[in-house]
Amino acid sequence: MRDWSLARQMLVLQLAVVVVTLAGAVTLTLVQTRDLLVEEAEGRARAVAESVAASPDVLSALAGAAPSVRLQPYAERVRASTGVDFVTIMDTAGRRYTHPNPSLIGGLFLGHIDRALLGETFTETYTGTLGPSTRAVAPVKDPGGGVRALVSAGITVKRIDARLREQIAWAALIGGVGLGVGTGGTWLVGARLRRQTHGLGPVELGRIHEHHDAILHAVREGLLLVARDGTLTLCNDGARTLLGLPSDAEGRHVRDLGIADLVLPLPRETSEPSPPAPPAFPGEAEPASPVAPGGEGDRTSVQERVHLVGDRVLVVDVAPSRLGAVVTLRDRTELQALTGQLDAERGFADSLRAAAHEAANRLHTVITLVELGRTEQAVAFGTAELRAAQELTDRVMGSVREPVLAALLLGKSAEAAERGTELVIAPDSELDDLDLDSRRVVTIVGNLIDNAIEAASRVEVHLRADADAFVIRVSDDGPGLSDPAAFGKGWTSKGDGRGLGLALVGQAVRQLGGTIEVAGSTFTVRLPL
């Protein structure tokens, strides 16, 4: 039985419960029915015996010379009309005046009469000439209260058992119907349980639960299961760490936990095109790109988005399912930092490559002018190029004496020149060493310049440290920015939903306790010193 599936074990157990319950109910019913039949027989026999004993015709017949002549027909009429099996009238010695079998008239009554001789009516079960019977014995009293004779009326046990067998047949029929209905319901429940458990036994189900629980707690990635109504049904340790969720997060609504934007939009199932459905959560705005409906398609599509949660950069995958959504979280903070460093190194390498390419072109030009005998022009050309490069370096290093930012600006200047964009350092820029996290400052300045280079042909950078704040101002001649969600996750002017630069800028500014203002195409950041 241990090898049986959980559904089969439940089926057998429920069938056993149904059979035992029905058997107990039928047995109890039959016992109660027999007691009721016996009680009914005793009551009827008692009523008939008392009624005959109180009849004046009986006293009148007893006063005659041959009481049986008048009493026998009377007793038979009473027996036939009341449904009892016998009505026996006897003298105080127990000798019969009447009997259903006339040949037994004059014989002694088989049973107890002592209590009746004392004037008491009683009932008993006794075996007489007709077999075991339930009978009542009542005294016949004269006007003075003396006992003149006795009357016994009764119903045979055989007749009571016959009625009981009728009740058994009905009970068996009802029990059979109940067993059939119970078996059918049990089979339906077992079939549903078999589908839900895939025919697995308790051992396999327990092992799967243990494996899943171990995996959920072991993986670093976060996993959330969200019901269609927005209730968080499962949350592993990785998700608690990445999102800072409380220990009682499961069972609460994602909006109350502050993570509704991570799991929206939830899937909506439909088998055919229909009007737009309401938002997944009451009170939430309809997402810009809802999950495309379509049954199985809903369960296979995955929505990947980048979110900033505190100091972490998370990649969130929302996989719609039939019951809601499966949300996986991957921490890309370290990868993002490495990617930023790699982008910076690649930018410097590209700048060096561009500078080397331009230097080679200029060197070839100078050599060619010398070969042509135009020495003065060669010297003038080479001097002009050196002067331009040195002026850029002197201007950057003279204004920005913070080495990290100076190197960043020189690299961005070369990159802007390669792209055909003019990058200008404001003349009033003045910056010495800063007591700030250089990585976050580079993130702010670098991303603001990158966005400006992509959007405009001329970019001006102003860096200045006042008495209480470090001011960064980046402006360009582009169309400017009007979207308030620019510093949110995933915003980009390209519209592909994967932008991260301005989101990182906003995160770095918040971490440094600063503020950022946008006026058209001018971004102003103030970082307290």
Side-chain angles (χ1 to χ4, degrees), residues 386-401 406 410 425 429:
L386 289 174
R387 185 183 305 111
Q390 189 62 40
E391 286 178 356
L392 174 61
T393 302
D394 292 343
R395 185 167 64 254
V396 172
M397 298 302 297
S399 302
V400 181
R401 287 176 290 278
L410 287 175
I425 307 300
S429 294

Side-chain angles (χ1 to χ4, degrees), residues 260-268 278-281 284-292 301 303 305 318-321 324-327:
D261 56 338
L262 295 180
V263 300
L264 284 174
L266 283 178
R268 293 185 295 272
F281 301 150
E284 297 285 352
E286 183 69 22
S289 301
V291 180
S301 61
Q303 304 166 355
R305 292 170 292 182
V318 181
S321 69
V326 179
V327 183

Side-chain angles (χ1 to χ4, degrees), residues 56-58 60-64 66-75 77 98:
D57 294 339
V58 174
S60 176
L62 290 174
S68 294
V69 175
R70 294 179 56 187
L71 292 178
Q72 175 68 12
Y74 171 73
R77 287 197 303 273
T98 65

Side-chain angles (χ1 to χ4, degrees), residues 149-361:
L150 304 174
V151 178
S152 177
I155 300 174
T156 62
V157 174
K158 181 179 179 180
R159 184 175 177 186
I160 295 175
D161 290 342
R163 293 189 58 188
L164 181 61
R165 284 193 294 272
E166 294 179 1
Q167 299 298 321
I168 291 176
W170 281 106
L173 177 61
I174 296 174
V177 173
L179 180 61
V181 173
T183 302
T186 300
W187 183 86
L188 292 176
V189 172
R192 178 178 178 84
L193 184 61
R194 191 182 308 109
R195 290 195 303 269
Q196 293 178 339
T197 60
H198 304 285
L200 298 176
V203 176
E204 290 82 359
L205 290 175
R207 187 179 299 117
I208 290 174
H209 172 74
E210 292 175 357
H211 290 173
H212 287 184
D213 188 66
I215 292 173
L216 287 176
H217 290 287
V219 296
R220 292 182 58 190
E221 287 75 12
L223 176 65
L224 304 174
L225 297 183
V226 184
R228 294 184 63 84
D229 61 355
T231 301
L232 181 64
T233 58
L234 185 143
C235 172
N236 72 340
D237 295 344
R240 295 182 195 277
T241 302
L242 294 176
L243 300 177
L245 297 177
S247 58
D248 61 343
E250 294 180 355
R252 297 171 59 182
H253 199 281
V254 294
R255 188 169 55 246
D256 300 333
L257 297 171
I259 59 173
D261 56 338
L262 295 180
V263 300
L264 284 174
L266 283 178
R268 293 185 295 272
E269 290 187 336
T270 178
S271 58
E272 59 184 9
S274 59
F281 301 150
E284 297 285 352
E286 183 69 22
S289 301
V291 180
E296 292 295 329
D298 284 350
R299 293 194 288 270
T300 57
S301 61
V302 177
Q303 304 166 355
E304 181 176 297
R305 292 170 292 182
V306 177
H307 285 261
L308 299 180
V309 180
D311 295 338
R312 301 180 185 273
V313 179
L314 302 181
V315 177
V316 181
D317 295 335
V318 181
S321 69
R322 183 172 54 87
L323 300 178
V326 179
V327 183
T328 56
L329 310 170
R330 288 172 289 159
D331 190 354
R332 216 175 71 176
T333 304
E334 297 180 0
L335 178 61
Q336 188 65 34
L338 293 176
T339 303
Q341 294 179 8
L342 179 61
D343 290 340
E345 297 296 336
R346 184 183 293 113
F348 291 144
D350 291 341
S351 299
L352 291 175
R353 178 187 55 77
H357 185 269
E358 291 298 320
N361 290 336

Side-chain angles (χ1 to χ4, degrees), residues 88-92 94-97 109 113 149-152:
T88 300
I89 304 173
M90 69 197 86
D91 60 16
T92 56
R95 195 168 300 278
R96 304 185 190 98
Y97 294 126
F109 174 73
I113 61 175
L150 304 174
V151 178
S152 177

